[in-house]
Amino acid sequence: MTTALRRLRNYIDGEFRDAADGRTTEVVNPATGEPYATAPLSGAADVDAAMAAAEAAFPAWRDLIPAERQKVLLKVADRFEERAEELIAAESENCGKPIALVRSEEIPPMVDQIRFFAGAARMLEGRSAGEYMEGFTSIIRREPVGVCAQVAPWNYPMMMAVWKFAPALAAGNTVVIKPSDTTPASTVLIADIIGSVLDELGHSRGVFNVICGDRETGRLMVEHKVPAMASITGSVRAGMQVAESASKDLKRVHLELGGKAPVVVFEDTDIAKAVGDISVAGYFNAGQDCTAATRVLVHESIHDEFVAALAKAASETKTGAVDDEDVLYGPLNNANQLKQVKGFIERLPAHAKIEAGGEQVGEKGYFFAPTVVSGLKQDDEIVQHEVFGPVITVQSFSDEKQAVQWANGVEYALASSVWTKDHARAMRMSRSLDFGCVWINTHIPLVAEMPHGGFKKSGYGKDLSSYGFDDYTRIKHVMTSLDG
């Protein structure tokens, strides 16, 4: 007997709708490799409808005093807590993520982030009013940019949606957001939550809209005449396409793209602690994280000991079913991603050595073993390009200068970490590493108050923090004559 697939729908102007032309795609649970739902494959008519709803809702939402927008977001955060088990179930099915880890590692920070931006709504900052020309007073207005077209990724579909809608709504913008075509379920549920809150508090539900679809849907959103800003978290290729499309009418663009985080381990490091923390930061979420600790540079004097300890940690790291509380991570998100990770391993050069893992595991789903690869050189493909899987590479460096050169010697510049007991060296490295974040003796913690974003091909703009909030505002100068 064939199980009926659940039907997901777009959320436009407060209504759940199928695609205008009825097209759908199947949504696959990566833990099983089997479809569990269908979602709209939205086209131009759906994008037009969502943009029209957001555009119509914008003036009233923009003109609310910040305290009123704060009330909405605080209530949304409360509702996230109340409906946490629904969100957890949706995200686990979306991504094959272990249920216990979604509950402990994603729900609490998401709620905190929404509440942070609720507070940020009332903390708009600008230079003080003053006289800079005799007889005139100047003031600065900070305003929302307008309708925001947002595209969220499949690695953290629920949390990345929060990172996008929370600052946008707090600043007074309206939103049309598209989840990845492989992970729409949790975003559709978020639409139900936000829509119900907007309705209860007497605001237009067109403030927040969700449309499902593929890359073509995203392109239509970015090229649409209505949005004033396009925001995407995704691959470098996708980011470059968005920037090119947005340039046609000079939309503002916010890009959080790939990463290839260097993890620089010096000889005075506590090896056991470093290996324990790095293995978790490298394998968490199956390594599908732009900041994952997957490119280790270790001083030659401790290289062999470190690699042996890391391989042992990999062998003790467990991947598996969503209801197994002992697993650290679930499957890769989709069949194409599994193929990509396998390809990196199959193309390893002869001088590389697989110390642990290196193969698919399980009879169903897209699971891949925690992997360690040593013996690599700086120009190897697996060192230069983002694997986005549970694969940690190890290189051996001789001195601080070489460590900096190799760490910076990639096209990405999102995150990095330094492991040493030498404070002066840690400060030198934090200055020299060309990355948007430098962690010292840790890797991957994030807080709502601090910015997340990179340089080079990792994109531009910031998520989280007041800097992320500012990205969703524009600055206007108002000058008035003092002589009546």
Side-chain angles (χ1 to χ4, degrees):
M1 180 180 295
T2 302
T3 302
L5 301 182
R6 183 147 41 96
R7 188 174 119 201
L8 303 173
R9 293 184 291 174
N10 293 331
Y11 185 81
I12 299 174
D13 203 17
E15 296 180 353
F16 284 102
R17 310 180 187 178
D18 295 322
D21 60 8
R23 291 189 303 159
T24 63
T25 57
E26 286 190 339
V27 186
V28 173
N29 183 331
T32 64
E34 298 294 331
Y36 70 91
T38 62
L41 183 55
S42 300
D46 307 296
V47 174
D48 285 345
M51 294 300 173
E55 185 178 36
F58 173 65
W61 185 253
R62 173 199 61 200
D63 293 342
L64 283 177
I65 62 171
E68 293 302 312
R69 294 197 296 269
Q70 182 190 47
K71 286 180 183 178
V72 171
L73 286 170
L74 289 176
K75 198 170 189 66
V76 168
D78 292 344
R79 201 62 55 80
F80 265 55
E81 288 183 323
E82 293 165 10
R83 300 181 65 177
E85 293 307 312
E86 292 177 70
L87 290 165
I88 292 164
E91 193 74 336
S92 181
E93 198 167 34
N94 248 350
C95 308
K97 294 186 180 188
I99 291 170
L101 287 175
V102 179
R103 182 178 292 115
S104 65
E105 303 300 323
E106 296 199 30
I107 296 295
M110 284 193 305
V111 170
D112 178 67
Q113 289 152 7
I114 295 169
R115 287 175 176 151
F116 171 83
F117 284 113
R122 301 179 70 170
M123 290 294 291
L124 286 167
E125 294 182 355
R127 293 180 179 175
S128 61
E131 290 67 51
Y132 303 94
M133 179 181 292
E134 188 173 344
F136 297 87
T137 292
S138 288
I139 61 173
I140 296 294
R141 290 183 58 88
R142 189 177 288 275
E143 302 174 337
V145 298
V147 175
C148 296
Q150 302 181 320
V151 179
W154 48 251
N155 59 331
Y156 292 99
M158 188 162 59
M159 187 176 291
M160 294 303 98
V162 167
W163 286 20
K164 293 188 180 304
F165 79 70
L169 296 183
N173 304 285
T174 54
V175 165
V176 178
I177 188 168
K178 187 190 87 67
S180 168
D181 56 340
T182 67
T183 56
S186 57
T187 313
V188 171
L189 179 55
I190 287 171
D192 183 55
I193 292 172
I194 295 178
S196 66
V197 170
L198 289 168
D199 194 42
E200 288 171 20
L201 297 181
H203 304 296
S204 169
R205 289 178 289 179
V207 166
F208 183 80
N209 306 271
V210 172
I211 53 174
C212 303
D214 58 8
R215 290 177 182 173
E216 176 63 12
T217 312
R219 184 189 67 77
L220 291 169
M221 288 173 58
V222 173
E223 293 185 357
H224 201 278
K225 68 182 189 306
V226 165
M229 179 176 177
S231 171
I232 178 175
T233 298
S235 68
V236 173
R237 181 183 66 176
M240 293 173 75
Q241 290 171 346
V242 166
E244 182 179 0
S245 295
S247 70
K248 295 174 183 177
D249 58 0
L250 297 179
K251 282 185 180 69
R252 183 182 294 197
V253 179
H254 183 281
L255 303 174
E256 199 275 271
L257 309 177
K260 194 68 181 174
V263 180
V264 184
V265 182
F266 285 96
E267 67 276 10
D268 61 344
T269 300
D270 181 330
I271 293 177
K273 181 183 186 305
V275 164
D277 291 354
I278 290 167
S279 61
V280 170
Y283 297 134
F284 188 82
N285 204 44
Q288 298 171 125
D289 191 313
C290 297
T291 63
T294 56
R295 182 168 64 106
V296 175
L297 306 170
V298 60
H299 191 269
E300 60 188 10
S301 65
I302 61 168
H303 173 270
D304 292 351
E305 183 182 358
F306 186 92
V307 168
L310 188 60
K312 183 175 184 293
S315 69
E316 295 171 350
T317 298
K318 189 176 178 182
T319 179
V322 299
D323 57 355
D324 186 342
E325 296 191 0
D326 293 328
V327 304
L328 178 65
Y329 67 89
L332 295 167
N333 181 261
N334 55 75
N336 286 337
Q337 189 59 26
L338 175 61
K339 181 180 179 181
Q340 175 173 306
V341 174
K342 283 183 173 180
F344 275 102
I345 299 301
E346 291 165 357
R347 295 188 300 271
L348 283 173
H351 55 261
K353 180 182 178 183
I354 298 176
E355 304 280 355
E359 71 282 328
Q360 183 178 356
V361 296
E363 297 180 357
K364 61 181 181 178
Y366 310 130
F367 296 90
F368 201 84
T371 300
V372 177
V373 182
S374 67
L376 294 164
K377 298 179 180 178
Q378 180 65 13
D379 59 356
D380 287 336
E381 177 197 28
I382 200 169
V383 169
Q384 289 294 317
H385 297 283
E386 189 173 34
V387 178
F388 224 55
V391 179
I392 297 178
T393 64
V394 184
Q395 297 167 259
S396 174
F397 69 85
S398 59
D399 57 31
E400 187 175 316
K401 180 179 179 181
Q402 187 178 65
V404 170
Q405 179 184 353
W406 285 359
N408 290 339
V410 294
E411 293 183 328
Y412 304 91
L414 182 59
S416 59
S417 64
V418 179
W419 300 75
T420 181
K421 296 176 183 176
D422 186 331
H423 176 74
R425 178 160 59 193
M427 292 297 97
R428 290 194 304 271
M429 291 293 293
S430 66
R431 178 186 61 191
S432 299
L433 288 172
D434 188 21
F435 295 83
C437 175
V438 181
W439 286 292
I440 298 174
N441 295 325
T442 188
H443 194 107
I444 229 166
L446 295 169
V447 292
E449 293 85 352
M450 290 293 114
H452 174 82
F455 316 132
K456 293 161 59 175
K457 285 191 176 179
S458 289
Y460 44 81
K462 298 296 183 184
D463 289 312
L464 302 177
S465 78
S466 61
Y467 300 99
F469 180 74
D470 288 349
D471 280 353
Y472 286 94
T473 67
R474 65 184 190 182
I475 295 170
K476 178 187 289 182
H477 170 219
V478 179
M479 178 180 274
T480 182
S481 170
L482 297 179
D483 60 7

